[in-house]
Amino acid sequence: MTLIAPRSAARSAPPPPGRDPFLDVLRVFGMALVVLQHWSMPVLSFTEGRITTGNALATGWAWAITWISQVMPLVFFAGGAANAISWRGAVRRGETIPVWLAAR
């Protein structure tokens, strides 16, 4: 009994036709940046029996980080581009709008 997969099964499958790997990378980068920012912002302290919260980005010039690391435009760009690619493919196949929307 072997636990190692054959070489042919170990290779990853190519992306489906029409799928843009660059957009996938943008989505992953955007999600990772959101998680990183949310993990780095809260500051918890325990003083005199109370837990207080603060924001690390509200101290000094740290707020400037939020200006250069905006991810929502990136997320909207990647989503819009992916939908445009999908829509063009649906038009080429002759699909109607309701069929395309149901598939999305």
Side-chain angles (χ1 to χ4, degrees):
M1 182 170 138
T2 180
L3 298 177
I4 299 173
R7 283 195 128 220
S8 62
R11 293 186 192 133
S12 62
R19 187 145 185 119
D20 189 346
F22 178 70
L23 294 177
D24 292 337
V25 168
L26 284 180
R27 287 175 172 166
V28 169
F29 176 72
M31 288 186 286
L33 193 55
V34 166
V35 170
L36 178 68
Q37 285 180 339
H38 282 88
W39 279 352
S40 63
M41 284 192 294
V43 176
L44 300 176
S45 60
F46 188 75
T47 312
E48 299 175 6
R50 293 185 65 208
I51 295 178
T52 57
T53 61
N55 185 343
L57 298 177
T59 59
W61 282 87
W63 60 268
I65 294 170
T66 65
W67 282 77
I68 60 173
S69 64
Q70 291 295 314
V71 295
M72 290 314 295
L74 182 68
V75 170
F76 287 129
F77 170 77
N83 277 307
I85 292 168
S86 172
W87 173 247
R88 275 188 244 128
V91 168
R92 274 194 309 272
R93 291 186 301 275
E95 291 180 7
T96 62
I97 291 174
V99 170
W100 178 74
L101 288 174
R104 292 303 286 168

